[in-house]
Amino acid sequence: MSNPDLETKPLERKELYSYQKRDISAIFDRMDEVEPNCHLLYQLPTGGGKTVIFSEIVRRYLEYHNKKVMVLTHRIELCKQTSKMLDGFGVKNKIINSKIKDLPDQGEYSCFVAMVETLKNRLNDEKLEIEDIGLVIIDEAHYNSFRKLFSFFKNSFILGVTATPLSSNIKLPMYENYKELIVGDPINKLIENGYLAKANTMSYDVGLQSLKIGINGDYTVKSSDELYSQLDMQSKLLHAYEEVSKGKKTLIFNNGIHTSLYVLDTFTEAGYTIRHLDNTTSAEERKEILRWFKHTPDAILTSVGILTTGFDEPTVETIIINRATKSLTLYFQMIGRGSRLLPNKKEFNIIDLGNNAARFGLWDAPVDWQHIFKSPEYYLENLREDAEIEMHFKYEMPAEIRALFKNSVIEEFDIEEAFKQAIKKNLRPKTVIDDSIDQHALMCVENSDDLNEAKRLAKHLEESAAYRVKIFCRCLSNSTKNYRDWLIEEYKKNLQLSIGKKFRERLFSMAD
């Protein structure tokens, strides 16, 4: 999606960074070495400047070759952004959109920018001369819709560009259409060299057993809506926001409109400034919402099926992935919306509510793209299953929450070990929960000046409490979800009682 504030002013030509110049040289070196109709794929992380790079490639190609260039995108917004970027590089180009039925002036242009279906229709109508097109650049090349046009450009060099060289359809691997892959700098190196913001990832324990896989290989919208619209998941989302991102510009990604509207209601009722956006929102309203989001410091935007590509708002401080996905591409696209640097923004937050970081690895972790490109089936078949992820999930207290309990020496409370010791000593298993509550209560009292403050602090321990209850129920082996939900509520209630008891004890000891 284009930024509405950029629509009335052309983009200035970007200054190329050293890694961009290096990659451009590597691409031209390969173009000189291989056959003129070779298919080459180039990978660079979101935020690395792929549009800048291929715009310079277009400019340089036209300077040294007496042929034209075609740039293909999969969305009209990307067509507009690409055209403006090419303008900035001095490339006279023409957008071929649905309004363009005839092309009598095509001889005046050296470069065309088009969407797949529109171009296919114009080629079928024989409205476009393509014999002199020597270079075809495909943006977001992992989408399979571009394949239907390859037969029209049998004599052209094709350069695919993507952040994730993994086909959106496992049955149509990218190695079938591209001879080789050139890999740009990884995310961690771009962060280290000051080109991308550093990410702080907070993962929350979620149960995904009810999710179903659709024919596209990802979780279905229906099963996602049913799970993520539940009250406990909405509460977890709100709790995570208040714990990590309160007062920060936040972008929330959901899998279904139903969920996003629930999020809108949940945050509105909690008193937060939030708007909703999906692919049914009118173009005019979309512009207004994005303008509001840009200029509102603490804005929260909940979205569905949109803003994952072509949307650039550097002021985003937190990305909340309020969904699970099996798509590595989507995972990187969502997080990439928060990775832009600003003079006063060197870091951003990721709140993961779908086991995504455990499934794919942290956003800035090294990725062997050559292996994924050559063996996508092997990679996908070896992704961690949800049951395994949930079995090995370990709660770690976020730094923001740890800072609230700075007066306490927080030692890990090993529920499994405490359970073993209780059984060994013939104690009731529930003494483990009692001891856990006692530790949490002590933390609240040690870091408060009065009883009300201590009870408010307890809210920040709910995620830790829920995790401990889950491990305790696993130790019981025959507990139900209803029992676990009941025990969590009992834990909260008894924690408040224990805090009151400890506070009274502290007052009595001070009186003595």
Side-chain angles (χ1 to χ4, degrees):
M1 169 166 296
S2 59
N3 188 326
D5 288 345
L6 295 179
E7 290 186 357
T8 57
K9 52 185 179 182
L11 292 174
E12 296 180 4
R13 180 171 173 179
K14 300 278 187 178
E15 186 67 33
L16 294 170
Y17 298 126
S18 58
Y19 71 89
Q20 294 173 332
K21 294 176 182 177
R22 181 202 64 218
D23 289 355
I24 290 169
S25 296
I27 290 168
F28 274 109
D29 287 345
R30 289 304 291 148
M31 289 175 70
D32 292 339
E33 295 166 358
V34 298
E35 58 273 20
N37 63 345
C38 181
H39 294 191
L40 185 68
L41 190 61
Y42 170 60
Q43 182 275 333
L44 186 69
T46 298
K50 292 185 292 296
T51 310
V52 171
I53 287 173
F54 70 66
S55 294
E56 170 62 12
I57 288 174
V58 172
R59 186 199 67 78
R60 197 179 302 183
Y61 180 87
L62 293 173
E63 186 177 345
Y64 294 104
H65 297 80
N66 190 29
K67 291 192 174 184
K68 296 186 178 184
V69 178
M70 174 68 70
V71 181
L72 295 175
T73 74
H74 73 291
R75 285 175 53 185
I76 187 61
E77 294 87 1
L78 292 175
C79 275
K80 294 175 182 176
Q81 287 185 2
T82 299
S83 178
K84 287 181 180 179
M85 185 67 75
L86 288 165
D87 287 341
F89 278 79
V91 176
K92 188 177 182 182
N93 66 91
K94 183 179 183 66
I95 295 177
I96 302 174
N97 57 32
S98 57
K99 297 178 182 178
I100 305 293
K101 304 300 181 184
D102 291 292
L103 295 157
D105 59 346
Q106 60 186 283
E108 301 175 18
Y109 297 91
S110 56
C111 178
F112 301 95
V113 183
M115 286 176 61
V116 176
E117 288 302 327
T118 307
L119 181 61
K120 183 173 179 289
N121 292 336
R122 299 300 166 270
L123 292 173
N124 287 334
D125 296 340
E126 299 183 349
K127 297 292 186 181
L128 180 65
E129 299 292 331
I130 61 171
E131 289 76 14
D132 58 350
I133 289 179
L135 173 63
V136 178
I137 293 178
I138 299 175
D139 192 16
E140 305 289 353
H142 51 273
Y143 288 107
N144 290 291
S145 56
F146 298 109
R147 290 170 178 256
K148 65 185 73 173
L149 293 177
F150 284 176
S151 60
F152 289 100
F153 298 101
K154 291 180 179 178
N155 298 318
S156 304
F157 190 98
I158 294 181
L159 175 65
V161 181
T162 180
T164 50
L166 179 65
S167 172
S168 57
N169 186 337
I170 188 174
K171 296 178 182 177
L172 301 170
M174 299 195 77
Y175 60 71
E176 289 184 353
N177 284 290
Y178 293 93
K179 181 177 181 180
E180 63 181 276
L181 171 69
I182 291 179
V183 177
D185 278 356
I187 290 171
N188 60 341
K189 191 170 182 181
L190 292 176
I191 294 171
E192 182 183 324
N193 292 333
Y195 298 114
L196 290 178
K198 180 174 179 275
N200 303 306
T201 302
M202 275 68 69
S203 294
Y204 288 76
D205 191 15
V206 290
L208 304 179
Q209 298 90 338
S210 65
L211 293 184
K212 294 178 173 56
I213 307 294
I215 57 174
N216 67 346
D218 208 349
Y219 299 107
T220 65
V221 172
K222 184 175 184 294
S223 65
S224 294
D225 268 340
E226 288 173 353
L227 174 62
Y228 282 89
S229 61
Q230 290 177 10
L231 183 60
D232 61 335
M233 290 299 289
Q234 291 287 313
S235 297
K236 190 181 288 283
L237 167 64
L238 182 61
H239 172 72
Y241 167 79
E242 292 178 335
E243 199 169 64
V244 176
S245 190
K246 189 172 182 178
K248 297 177 181 176
K249 186 168 294 188
T250 302
L251 183 55
I252 305 174
F253 289 101
N254 310 278
N255 195 17
I257 293 176
H258 192 60
T259 302
S260 188
L261 292 174
Y262 262 90
V263 172
L264 180 69
D265 290 341
T266 298
F267 278 74
T268 301
E269 289 173 9
Y272 296 110
T273 307
I274 185 170
R275 302 287 293 273
H276 159 86
L277 191 62
D278 63 57
N279 55 14
T280 68
T281 308
S282 69
E284 199 57 42
E285 187 180 2
R286 192 184 327 189
K287 288 180 184 179
E288 187 272 319
I289 289 173
L290 290 180
R291 190 173 289 112
W292 164 84
F293 187 62
K294 178 182 181 66
H295 296 292
T296 306
D298 60 347
I300 306 167
L301 182 57
T302 178
S303 64
V304 189
I306 205 166
L307 306 182
T308 54
T309 59
F311 172 67
D312 185 19
E313 183 47 67
T315 57
V316 171
E317 297 170 280
T318 300
I319 298 294
I320 300 183
I321 310 178
N322 190 44
R323 58 167 295 171
T325 182
K326 292 270 189 179
S327 169
L328 178 67
T329 296
L330 183 58
Y331 174 64
F332 278 105
Q333 285 176 335
M334 290 186 291
I335 295 174
R337 300 310 115 199
S339 65
R340 300 297 200 272
L341 274 174
L342 286 175
N344 61 344
K345 177 196 162 190
K346 306 299 181 188
E347 299 184 356
F348 70 106
N349 297 317
I350 302 167
I351 295 175
D352 179 18
L353 291 163
N355 292 342
N356 301 291
R359 189 175 301 111
F360 301 116
L362 293 175
W363 171 69
D364 56 356
V367 178
D368 188 345
W369 290 117
Q370 291 290 359
H371 173 69
I372 290 175
F373 171 66
K374 293 171 184 173
S375 306
E377 300 91 347
Y378 179 85
Y379 170 77
L380 292 169
E381 287 169 2
N382 285 275
L383 284 177
R384 292 179 69 193
E385 295 294 330
D386 292 323
E388 181 200 351
I389 292 171
E390 290 165 26
M391 178 66 71
H392 294 96
F393 178 87
K394 185 176 180 181
Y395 173 78
E396 293 183 6
M397 186 176 287
E400 292 87 347
I401 303 305
R402 180 66 185 85
L404 299 175
F405 298 95
K406 59 182 181 297
N407 296 332
S408 300
V409 178
I410 303 177
E411 298 179 357
E412 181 182 354
F413 193 96
D414 190 332
I415 292 286
E416 289 181 327
E417 181 58 31
F419 188 87
K420 288 177 185 176
Q421 292 301 319
I423 298 301
K424 188 175 181 181
K425 297 174 182 177
N426 291 319
L427 298 173
R428 290 184 308 110
K430 202 160 177 294
T431 57
V432 175
I433 293 295
D434 295 337
D435 290 343
S436 174
I437 290 172
D438 189 69
Q439 187 208 37
H440 275 159
L442 183 60
M443 289 167 56
C444 293
V445 172
E446 287 178 337
N447 293 275
S448 305
D449 294 325
D450 58 59
L451 179 58
N452 288 332
E453 184 183 359
K455 289 189 172 185
R456 283 195 298 270
L457 270 181
K459 183 175 177 58
H460 297 288
L461 295 173
E462 287 181 1
E463 191 70 20
S464 174
Y467 171 71
R468 292 182 181 186
V469 168
K470 183 180 106 169
I471 300 301
F472 175 76
C473 290
R474 188 187 298 164
C475 292
L476 292 176
S477 75
N478 61 348
S479 64
T480 64
K481 182 181 182 300
N482 286 340
Y483 175 74
R484 189 172 85 179
D485 292 344
W486 172 82
L487 191 54
I488 289 173
E489 293 306 312
E490 282 293 295
Y491 195 110
K492 293 177 186 175
K493 183 177 71 176
N494 290 331
L495 177 56
Q496 294 290 326
L497 294 173
S498 183
I499 289 171
K501 180 181 176 183
K502 287 187 179 300
F503 229 95
R504 287 192 297 274
E505 289 173 351
R506 188 169 83 172
L507 292 175
F508 289 146
S509 64
M510 289 172 63
D512 292 341

